[in-house]
Amino acid sequence: MAFGHLVVLPLHPALVHFPVALLSLTWLFGLVWHATGTERWGSLATTLEWIALAFVPFTMVAGVVDAGGFDFLVEPDWTAPLIWHFLCSVATAILFAAHAFWRRSVSAAAAAGRGTGTPHVWVDLGLTATGFWLLMVTGLIAAEMVFG
Amino acid sequence: MRRRLIVGAAILAAALGATAGIVLAAAVNVGVGNHYFEDATVGDGVVTAKVGDQLRLTAVDTGTDGRPHTADVDALNIHSGGLTPGSVYVSPVITQPGTFVLYCKVHLRSQNHQTTLVVTGTAVTPTPTPAPSRATPAPTAARTPTPAPTAAPGAAGSSVAPGSVRPSESAGAVGASAASSSGLVPSGPGTLGAGASTAPEASRGGADGILPTGVTGGMASDWARSVRLGFVLLLPILTLAVFAARRARARALGAAVAPSDPRAQARRRV
């Protein structure tokens, strides 16, 4: 299904910077939190992560609109960067979403009297570091499409 | 009398030469679609032509993003501009043999829209050729995915000679007949030249910031290098994560720090 070029200017590049910046800060503040032990960084990272995840659906819809529909998924050209940009971005969103929900479950468990509320550091940093790395790869592939 | 014979022979020779030129300059029909360039031999991934040929490129559809395709071969100075569905572009006469990259400027980087153009023969001195015809819209856009294999390059009715078509009607009359014979667009009156125009989005590939102008023919957007660079980034990211994790672990185990370590004790006091 092709949408055609619905809008004059591409929307995706205009929206994508917000979740990219927020997710990058999520990773960075998570590092600072674990390195310093200051809880405030952790709560700030969590807040930014949820805001970023709220942006993600809009960004993805804008990307599909800019790509002219789902044709690039129906008949993917695996030698072209578009499909890989899409897959990496989806993987990034899934990782950060999983991280956010996992953090929330840990906090909920602590509120119910189970656990300390502090997430396991390796799981926490592993998820955000992997997500941040995928975010970088996604951006590099996008740069390849634009600047080649 | 003898002089008349000589002049007559010269005129005859010139006419034969011109006719030979017309015959030699064959047109190779090429369909342009998502995201391929196909000549009569469909599926081989190569467009073949001979020196002296012209490429007659017919757009089958618009890109999936709604932007028209282009056909470009930098080394041969072939630049079609935007090709809306059904429109035809006749290239300049090819004057040099070799292997070139035929690509769509708009969808090269995102969809890797390119193929190999193989030109056989020996190089010829460039002669005045008709100006590249502009893309001309066909009456209706047929979405036939591939050109009919019966449209043999150089077939009767598809040859174009330098100077044999006027720019104002080349893309219409010639293009329409070629497209019709190749099955790319339905037959129609050969009067499509009127109002020949390039698609308004012709320059969008370079004008809207999606792609920079002047895409070089190096091709194959080497997107894999971004993945390689990504792996380079993996090292500092993991290093920082490990550093933070170790700090957190050390803090959690702070009570177990050896009392004889003055630096650790100082950190604890802080």
Side-chain angles (χ1 to χ4, degrees), chain A residues 2 4-5 8 10 27 31 33-37 66-68 71-72 77-82 84 121-122 125 129 132-133 136-137 140-141 144-148, chain B residues 34 64-67 109-112 204 208-212 221-223 225-227 229-231 233-234 237-238 240-249 251:
Chain A
H5 214 61
V8 177
W27 169 75
L31 283 180
W33 172 36
H34 286 295
T36 64
D66 287 349
D71 283 1
F72 73 99
D77 181 355
W78 298 104
T79 63
L82 181 60
W84 293 106
V121 61
W122 287 107
L125 288 174
F132 178 69
W133 174 68
M136 293 294 102
V137 173
L140 287 169
I141 295 174
E144 190 70 41
M145 281 194 286
V146 177
F147 301 109
Chain B
N34 290 324
T64 55
D65 57 0
R67 294 187 294 164
R109 287 177 184 151
S110 62
Q111 295 288 353
N112 199 27
R204 287 199 52 163
D208 63 0
I210 300 293
L211 290 174
S221 59
D222 188 15
W223 64 273
R225 70 183 168 195
S226 56
V227 176
L229 184 58
F231 278 105
L233 286 174
L234 188 59
I237 291 172
L238 286 182
L240 284 171
V242 169
F243 167 76
R246 287 174 65 92
R247 285 290 300 265
R249 184 177 171 81
R251 203 173 45 257

Side-chain angles (χ1 to χ4, degrees), chain B residues 44-162:
Chain B
D44 60 354
V46 175
V47 171
T48 55
K50 297 188 293 291
V51 170
D53 287 349
Q54 289 176 287
L55 298 183
R56 183 177 289 127
L57 298 125
T58 304
V60 176
D61 49 30
T62 305
T64 55
D65 57 0
R67 294 187 294 164
H69 299 294
T70 72
D72 297 85
V73 183
D74 293 341
L76 299 177
N77 195 30
I78 294 175
H79 300 288
S80 70
L83 295 167
T84 51
S87 59
V88 178
Y89 168 80
V90 182
S91 75
V93 172
I94 300 172
T95 57
Q96 52 179 305
T99 302
F100 308 96
V101 177
L102 171 60
Y103 68 98
C104 167
K105 189 178 287 186
V106 178
H107 301 107
L108 170 66
R109 287 177 184 151
S110 62
Q111 295 288 353
N112 199 27
H113 190 180
Q114 61 172 314
T115 194
T116 303
L117 170 65
V118 177
V119 180
T120 57
T122 55
V124 296
T125 305
T127 55
T129 58
S133 62
R134 305 306 299 168
T136 306
T140 55
R143 295 182 67 83
T144 309
T146 55
T150 54
S158 64
S159 63
V160 179

